[in-house]
Amino acid sequence: MVAVLLAALLLASCSDILPRNSSMKAVQPLKQAAINRLAEIGSTPGAPMMIRIFKQSSEFEVWKQSKAGPYKLYKTYAICAWSGTLGPKIKEGDRQAPEGFYNITPAQLNPNSNYYLSFNTGFPNKFDRAWGRTGANLMVHGDCSSAGCYSMTDESVAEIYALARETFNAGNTVIQMQIFPFRMTPQNLALVADNPNLPFWMDIKEGYDRFELAKTPPSWDVCEKKYVFDLKGPNGAALDAAAACPARGSDTLLAALSAKEAADDAQFKTLVAQIADRNAKSAADKQAAEAEKEAAKARGEAIGGFISGVFGGGNARTAQPAASGSTPVAPTPMPRRFG
């Protein structure tokens, strides 16, 4: 086994990662550059891990917990391909990549993927099931192709897979994956204020804000068919997805969160009003331009009619034909002038 692994590693040194047909690709170790980067942020391969995805910018972030406690950004990978549009996945066959909060467990890693390596996103989760959403095998994988999945290059997915594997090998049982349409800023949300998915995005924004403030993944659950964060039932029990949400107890982040959300909401409303004003002005300008175009067309037709009347003979006297049977009379010539 040692000899086989050494031979595999020699091949990897030539091609950066093990070839797709290698049975050892799921256990190839992290490269020294990755270990060095983890040390730079005060982390280790076995430290807890979190994933954050932004559809619009095709960014895939890996965060690792530092020895000081807060999570720090390890690396941002470019997503090679994702399918569908901004918004959550609704049903099987819509070719839509999911959005929301998902938990990755060791059982979801797939070392025998047809797309180099992969892991399941966990769709449908508790929230998705509460809304009757359907679909299966929504993956993060290699091969740069997507039908509802998030596709990475083989090199990227090999490193992400190895980071997840080392996280689980150290005894961590879950990697939280947060999937957003875009960075949840007032500016970005104002641009989609008329999108029917806005209530859903405002719901998951709280989880985004909590991580931005604390740099620690918030716990998530579902009640009243909506995401809730850092909220537990009696004695820490899981919540009923369709039942009323329990009263919130102590929440050390609540004051900072409330202040951030109030500031964001005020900015959001201001930006939405500004966008509405710009759109109204643009519509008025377009209407005025169309009216001027029609007026110019009418003026052109009027001038054309006038010129035609003057030079086209509309009022000119025309020779009348001689009556039938009469002899035509030649016109009398004008006297010739000399000198």
Side-chain angles (χ1 to χ4, degrees), residues 48-338:
M49 173 174 160
M50 190 198 83
I51 293 168
R52 195 163 66 162
I53 290 175
F54 298 103
K55 274 185 177 179
Q56 192 171 65
S57 54
S58 294
E59 293 175 289
F60 187 109
E61 296 179 345
V62 170
W63 293 72
K64 294 284 280 184
Q65 188 175 32
S66 67
K67 295 174 182 177
Y71 280 59
K72 292 188 177 181
L73 180 63
Y74 163 77
K75 189 174 182 179
T76 300
Y77 303 84
I79 298 173
C80 207
W82 57 271
S83 65
T85 60
L86 300 183
K89 182 174 180 63
I90 304 299
K91 62 182 179 180
E92 179 79 39
D94 63 6
R95 300 180 67 84
Q96 182 78 354
E99 292 175 10
F101 283 69
Y102 296 86
N103 291 335
I104 312 301
T105 64
Q108 289 164 236
L109 298 185
N110 181 11
N112 302 310
S113 173
N114 292 327
Y115 301 101
Y116 197 74
L117 293 167
S118 65
F119 58 88
N120 197 303
T121 62
F123 179 94
N125 66 7
K126 187 174 182 177
F127 175 89
D128 302 318
R129 293 192 299 272
W131 285 93
R133 294 175 179 174
T134 58
N137 300 319
L138 280 299
M139 314 292 286
V140 173
H141 61 70
D143 205 41
C144 278
S145 64
S146 178
C149 300
Y150 290 97
S151 176
M152 316 296 292
T153 64
D154 289 353
E155 290 77 11
S156 293
V157 82
E159 182 169 272
I160 295 165
Y161 189 99
L163 288 163
R165 182 195 65 221
E166 294 305 310
T167 298
F168 291 138
N169 285 347
N172 299 289
T173 57
V174 171
I175 295 172
Q176 186 177 111
M177 182 163 65
Q178 307 173 0
I179 309 177
F180 300 102
F182 37 70
R183 296 186 186 276
M184 309 300 278
T185 64
Q187 293 85 351
N188 286 337
L189 288 163
L191 294 173
V192 295
D194 59 350
N195 191 297
N197 290 307
L198 185 64
F200 167 73
W201 291 333
M202 287 298 195
D203 184 14
I204 61 175
K205 180 180 182 295
E206 182 184 336
Y208 175 91
D209 288 342
R210 283 181 175 270
F211 181 74
E212 287 293 298
L213 289 169
K215 288 297 184 287
T216 299
S219 66
W220 66 269
D221 207 334
V222 181
C223 56
E224 298 176 11
K225 297 176 70 174
K226 65 181 181 180
Y227 280 104
V228 290
F229 301 93
D230 296 330
L231 181 63
K232 296 292 184 183
N235 301 316
L239 304 178
D240 184 327
C245 295
R248 184 173 290 279
S250 61
D251 186 341
T252 57
L253 201 59
L254 191 57
L257 180 68
S258 297
K260 184 180 188 308
E261 289 182 343
D264 285 354
D265 185 57
Q267 189 176 7
F268 170 78
K269 289 176 180 177
T270 298
L271 291 167
V272 169
Q274 290 174 352
I275 291 170
D277 287 345
R278 285 200 301 269
N279 289 344
K281 185 179 184 302
S282 177
D285 290 346
K286 182 178 180 181
Q287 187 176 14
E290 288 295 328
E292 175 59 26
K293 182 179 179 181
E294 289 299 318
K297 180 180 178 182
R299 290 194 298 270
E301 290 174 350
I303 293 170
F306 173 76
I307 293 174
S308 177
V310 172
F311 297 102
N315 294 321
R317 297 175 62 184
T318 57
Q320 298 296 320
S324 176
S326 64
T327 303
V329 178
T332 303
M334 292 294 290
R336 187 174 181 183
R337 301 177 63 185
F338 296 93

Side-chain angles (χ1 to χ4, degrees), residues 22-34:
S22 171
S23 61
M24 307 297 294
K25 62 182 183 291
V27 296
Q28 56 190 317
L30 277 170
K31 297 188 179 302
Q32 188 60 47

